C-alpha cells in the first residue's frame, strides 16, 4: 500500500463502516481504526448472562441504504444480514391510559386519529401531504449533498420558506393537529436524532414520510448483526478494522492531514483521514490548535449540544407477549420536561421513556423463555452542573424499573435476572462524544445543513467527516448518507482534490 493512497477511517460506527465500504468500492486503500475493543461505536453490543443488548441504535429505516453498500461491490445485503418489518412502528402510551399505534398504513392511522379527535383527520391528511413535499426536497434532493459553502444553503432557502420549514416541528404540526396527545405523536420524531421538537425545524417532518414510505425494520440478531455484516464485508474487500486502537493525534503538515498517531505511539501515514468520531472532539483533542483557524475551541464550545441519554439494559426470566417491539411512554409533562433536559439542564423527577423489547421480534436475543429489554430516558448532557451520574445512576435505574413494574411490565421486579446501564458519562468517555451529547450538535435551524460541522474540514486539507455530528445528522439514514456525501467531495485514489466524474455521473 502506498502511503499517499491510504485513507484512514477513525471510528467504526455505522457511518465509518459505510464510508470505508464506499471508499474501497472506489479503489482506495482503507484502514479503519476503532478505539473500543469491538466495532460499532454507538452501535456496539453488550452481552451478559446469555442476553444480547444493542447498546445504541435500534430502529432501522431506509434500509435500502444498506442494500446500496453491498451493491457497490457486487454483493447482496440479504446474504449477510436480514431485516424484518416491525408493526406497529411505535406504540405510544399516554399518562391518561390512551394508546396510539404509530403505523405506516394511512387507514389505520386515520381510524385512530378519529377516535382521539375527529376534526384532526383532515388536518393529518394535510400534514402528511406537506411532510411528503418536505421529504421530496429535504431528503430526496438534499440529504447526500454537501453544504460546505454558504451559497449551497442560499439555494435551498426559498424551498424551505415555502414549505414552512423555518417553524419548529411542534409549531408546524400544531397548525394541522388540535389534540395535544396527537401533537406529541407527530412531534416526538426529532428526539430520535437528538432534537427538541420545540426547537428542531420542521424540515424533520420528512422523518414521518420516510417511515411511511419505507417502514420501520429490525435486524435479525439486533443492530450488532449489521455491524458484524459490514465488518465481514470489509474483510472480504481487504479492509482491516483494527479495534482497541484509539487515535491521539491527526498529524498535519503544510495544512494537510498526513498521518495519525495512536495512543500507543504508532504513527500511520496516509493520504487522507475520514473521521467518524465526534467533530467537536476531533477538533479540540486530535488537531493542534495552530492548525485550526476556523474550528477553534471557542467556536466549538459555543455550539448547542443535543441531549444526553440514560440507557438501562435488563433481562427477565419470563416474557410479556402483549408488549410492542418499540414503545414510547410519555410522561405527564412534554414541553416542560424538554425544557428541563435541553435548556435548564436539570434531572427532572418525572420522565418519558422509550422501551425496546427486541425479543418480541427475535427471541434468540435472550435465553429460552426470557425477555431482553432496553429502556432509554432523555436526560441532560454532561454540561449539567452538579449532576453526578456515578452517584445517581443506580437509583435512577431503580426508579425507572419500579415505574415499569407498576405501570407497564407487571411482575418485572420479581423476574429480573440481569441489568446494566450507561449514562451521559459513557458517551463522553467511552464514545468520546463532546459534552456527553448522544447525537452531537442539537439539530436546530442554526445548526443544520451549512451550519452543522462540514463534511470537508475548512482547516485541514484531506480531513473529512461522516457520522452523527456532521451533515446531514444523526439516525441511521443520516449517518449512512453522510458517507454518500464523500463521493461528491472526496477525490479518487491518486488525486489531490480536483473535480472528477464518478460512476453515477456526478462530481467528486
Amino acid at each position: 500500500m502506498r502511503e499517499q493512497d491510504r485513507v484512514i477511517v477513525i471510528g467504526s460506527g455505522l457511518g465509518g463502516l459505510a464510508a470505508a465500504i464506499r471508499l474501497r468500492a472506489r479503489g482506495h486503500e482503507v484502514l479503519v481504526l476503532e478505539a473500543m475493543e469491538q466495532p460499532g461505536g454507538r452501535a456496539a453490543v453488550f452481552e451478559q448472562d446469555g442476553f444480547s443488548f444493542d447498546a445504541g441504535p435500534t430502529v432501522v429505516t431506509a434500509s435500502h441504504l444498506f442494500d446500496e453498500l453491498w451493491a457497490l461491490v457486487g454483493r447482496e445485503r440479504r446474504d449477510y444480514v436480514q431485516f424484518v418489518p416491525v408493526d406497529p412502528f411505535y406504540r405510544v402510551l399516554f399518562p391518561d391510559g390512551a394508546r396510539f399505534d404509530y403505523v405506516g398504513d394511512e387507514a389505520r392511522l386515520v381510524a385512530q386519529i378519529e377516535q382521539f379527535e375527529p376534526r384532526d383527520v383532515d388536518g393529518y391528511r394535510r400534514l402528511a401531504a406537506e411532510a411528503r413535499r418536505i421529504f421530496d426536497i429535504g431528503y430526496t434532493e438534499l440529504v447526500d449533498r454537501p453544504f460546505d459553502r454558504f451559497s449551497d444553503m442560499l439555494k435551498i432557502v426559498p424551498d424551505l420558506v415555502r414549505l414552512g420549514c423555518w417553524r419548529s416541528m411542534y409549531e408546524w404540526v400544531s397548525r394541522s393537529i388540535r389534540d395535544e396527545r396527537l401533537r406529541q405523536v407527530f412531534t416526538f420524531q426529532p428526539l430520535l436524532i437528538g432534537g427538541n421538537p420545540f426547537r428542531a425545524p420542521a424540515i424533520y417532518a420528512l422523518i414521518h414520510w420516510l417511515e411511511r414510505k419505507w417502514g420501520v425494520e429490525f435486524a435479525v440478531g439486533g443492530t450488532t448483526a449489521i455491524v458484524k455484516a459490514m465488518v465481514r464485508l470489509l474483510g472480504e474487500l481487504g479492509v482491516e478494522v483494527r479495534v482497541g486502537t484509539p487515535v491521539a493525534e491527526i498529524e498535519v503538515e503544510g495544512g494537510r492531514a498526513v498521518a495519525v498517531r495512536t495512543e500507543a505511539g504508532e504513527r500511520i501515514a496516509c493520504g487522507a483521514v475520514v473521521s467518524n468520531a465526534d467533530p467537536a472532539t476531533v477538533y479540540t483533542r486530535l488537531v493542534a490548535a495552530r492548525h485550526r483557524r476556523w474550528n477553534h475551541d471557542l467556536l466549538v464550545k459555543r455550539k448547542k449540544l443535543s441531549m444526553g441519554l440514560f440507557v438501562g439494559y435488563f433481562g427477565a426470566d419470563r416474557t410479556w407477549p402483549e408488549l410492542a417491539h418499540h414503545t414510547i411512554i410519555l410522561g405527564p409533562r412534554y414541553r416542560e420536561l424538554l425544557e428541563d433536559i435541553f435548556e435548564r439542564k436539570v434531572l427532572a423527577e418525572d420522565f418519558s421513556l422509550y422501551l425496546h423489547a427486541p425479543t418480541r421480534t427475535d427471541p434468540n436475543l435472550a435465553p429460552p423463555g426470557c425477555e431482553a429489554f432496553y429502556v432509554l430516558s432523555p436526560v441532560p448532557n454532561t454540561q449539567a452542573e452538579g449532576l453526578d451520574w456515578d452517584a445517581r445512576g443506580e437509583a435512577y435505574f431503580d426508579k425507572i424499573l419500579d415505574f415499569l413494574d407498576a405501570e407497564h411490565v407487571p411482575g418485572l421486579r420479581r423476574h429480573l435476572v440481569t441489568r446494566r446501564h450507561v449514562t451521559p458519562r459513557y458517551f463522553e468517555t467511552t464514545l468520546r462524544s463532546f459534552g456527553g451529547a448522544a447525537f452531537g450538535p442539537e439539530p436546530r435551524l442554526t445548526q443544520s445543513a451549512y451550519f452543522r460541522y462540514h463534511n470537508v474540514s475548512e482547516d485541514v486539507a484531506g480531513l473529512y467527516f461522516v457520522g452523527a455530528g456532521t451533515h446531514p445528522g444523526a439516525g441511521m439514514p443520516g449517518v449512512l448518507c453522510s458517507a454518500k456525501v464523500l463521493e461528491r467531495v472526496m477525490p479518487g485514489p491518486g488525486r489531490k482534490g480536483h473535480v472528477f466524474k464518478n460512476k453515477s455521473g456526478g462530481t467528486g
Side-chain angles (χ1 to χ4, degrees):
M1 181 191 301
R2 296 190 309 166
E3 293 178 353
Q4 61 266 37
D5 290 335
R6 178 195 287 131
V7 178
I8 293 177
V9 176
I10 301 176
S12 65
L14 295 176
L17 295 175
I21 293 168
R22 288 185 176 276
L23 290 168
R24 187 71 189 111
R26 298 176 73 197
H28 290 277
E29 297 292 340
V30 183
L31 172 65
V32 181
L33 302 179
E34 168 57 51
M36 297 169 63
E37 295 300 326
Q38 61 169 305
R42 286 173 171 80
V45 63
F46 299 136
E47 294 179 342
Q48 180 171 302
D49 299 326
F51 294 82
S52 180
F53 303 108
D54 282 325
T58 59
V59 181
V60 178
T61 52
S63 63
H64 67 276
L65 294 171
F66 289 106
D67 297 340
E68 287 181 6
L69 295 173
W70 268 265
L72 285 172
V73 291
R75 290 165 169 82
E76 287 282 342
R77 184 268 305 163
R78 291 169 182 81
D79 295 332
Y80 293 73
V81 61
Q82 300 294 315
F83 296 139
V84 293
V86 175
D87 188 353
F89 297 166
Y90 312 96
R91 177 163 291 161
V92 185
L93 304 179
F94 298 92
D96 64 2
R99 181 179 99 177
F100 190 97
D101 279 356
Y102 186 86
V103 296
D105 179 69
E106 182 167 314
R108 290 171 61 193
L109 280 176
V110 166
Q112 293 179 89
I113 291 169
E114 190 168 22
Q115 292 179 352
F116 276 71
E117 170 54 74
R119 294 177 297 174
D120 281 340
V121 169
D122 289 340
Y124 170 73
R125 290 194 171 108
R126 289 194 303 272
L127 179 150
E130 291 178 8
R132 183 174 187 171
R133 287 192 286 271
I134 291 173
F135 173 88
D136 289 340
I137 298 294
Y139 184 89
T140 305
E141 295 187 17
L142 304 178
V143 74
D144 59 358
R145 179 189 300 180
F147 280 85
D148 298 324
R149 298 171 298 184
F150 189 63
S151 58
D152 297 329
M153 189 74 180
L154 289 178
K155 293 175 185 176
I156 68 167
V157 167
D159 285 332
L160 297 181
V161 171
R162 176 174 55 82
L163 294 169
C165 292
W166 50 270
R167 294 185 173 91
S168 75
M169 185 74 177
Y170 186 86
E171 181 185 0
W172 182 84
V173 168
S174 297
R175 293 168 65 239
S176 300
I177 302 294
R178 295 176 173 87
D179 187 275
E180 176 57 28
R181 295 166 300 176
L182 292 177
R183 288 176 175 177
Q184 294 177 29
V185 166
F186 294 111
T187 59
F188 76 78
Q189 291 79 11
L191 288 163
L192 302 177
I193 56 171
N196 181 346
F198 294 91
R199 301 281 192 278
I203 193 168
Y204 293 107
L206 67 82
I207 297 173
H208 177 66
W209 195 259
L210 181 147
E211 292 173 337
R212 282 276 306 269
K213 182 180 179 68
W214 290 309
V216 170
E217 296 174 290
F218 182 69
V220 176
T223 305
T224 186
I226 303 176
V227 173
K228 292 173 181 176
M230 297 174 82
V231 171
R232 173 188 160 194
L233 177 62
L234 284 168
E236 294 173 359
L237 299 175
V239 175
E240 179 186 3
V241 179
R242 189 183 301 177
V243 299
T245 312
V247 172
E249 179 189 2
I250 297 172
E251 189 176 311
V252 180
E253 290 182 3
R256 172 173 289 276
V258 296
V260 303
R261 292 186 182 273
T262 70
E263 288 188 358
E266 180 183 9
R267 181 184 186 273
I268 308 173
C270 61
V273 174
V274 173
S275 176
N276 185 209
D278 180 15
T281 298
V282 170
Y283 280 126
T284 57
R285 291 174 55 180
L286 304 189
V287 179
R290 65 182 181 276
H291 301 305
R292 294 185 283 114
R293 197 177 82 174
W294 180 270
N295 292 286
H296 51 80
D297 289 1
L298 183 59
L299 180 72
V300 170
K301 291 176 182 178
R302 281 178 178 169
K303 290 188 180 293
K304 284 278 191 179
L305 298 179
S306 62
M307 63 198 178
L309 295 177
F310 177 95
V311 190
Y313 312 89
F314 55 102
D317 62 7
R318 58 155 287 192
T319 64
W320 286 263
E322 68 277 11
L323 292 175
H325 185 118
H326 303 292
T327 302
I328 306 293
I329 304 170
L330 293 170
R333 303 183 305 149
Y334 191 55
R335 183 193 296 264
E336 296 82 0
L337 177 61
L338 293 171
E339 286 293 311
D340 283 345
I341 295 168
F342 283 89
E343 305 302 325
R344 290 189 284 271
K345 289 185 169 53
V346 297
L347 185 63
E349 290 299 314
D350 57 324
F351 40 63
S352 289
L353 304 172
Y354 160 55
L355 180 65
H356 181 225
T359 34
R360 295 294 87 237
T361 301
D362 184 357
N364 293 321
L365 296 172
C370 296
E371 194 93 87
F373 291 98
Y374 155 139
V375 64
L376 179 153
S377 176
V379 295
N381 57 45
T382 58
Q383 292 180 333
E385 296 181 4
L387 182 49
D388 183 355
W389 279 111
D390 292 336
R392 301 185 66 170
E394 285 290 343
Y396 192 73
F397 197 6
D398 282 333
K399 184 177 179 180
I400 290 173
L401 290 171
D402 289 342
F403 168 77
L404 292 174
D405 184 286
E407 300 292 337
H408 300 287
V409 193
L412 171 62
R413 278 298 208 173
R414 293 196 308 275
H415 293 276
L416 198 66
V417 294
T418 192
R419 60 183 281 182
R420 67 183 296 160
H421 69 270
V422 300
T423 74
R425 286 285 298 151
Y426 165 80
F427 289 85
E428 183 176 50
T429 56
T430 303
L431 298 179
R432 300 180 167 198
S433 184
F434 195 80
F439 304 91
E442 181 188 339
R444 297 181 171 210
L445 184 63
T446 54
Q447 294 189 158
S448 298
Y450 171 79
F451 302 110
R452 205 162 180 83
Y453 284 109
H454 294 169
N455 303 96
V456 181
S457 174
E458 307 91 329
D459 296 307
V460 179
L463 174 59
Y464 305 87
F465 289 93
V466 296
T470 189
H471 172 71
M476 283 197 199
V479 301
L480 294 174
C481 285
S482 70
K484 292 182 73 173
V485 174
L486 289 182
E487 296 184 351
R488 296 179 181 264
V489 300
M490 190 170 178
R495 300 173 186 263
K496 287 296 184 181
H498 57 277
V499 176
F500 70 100
K501 293 287 184 179
N502 60 29
K503 291 180 181 178
S504 62
T507 59

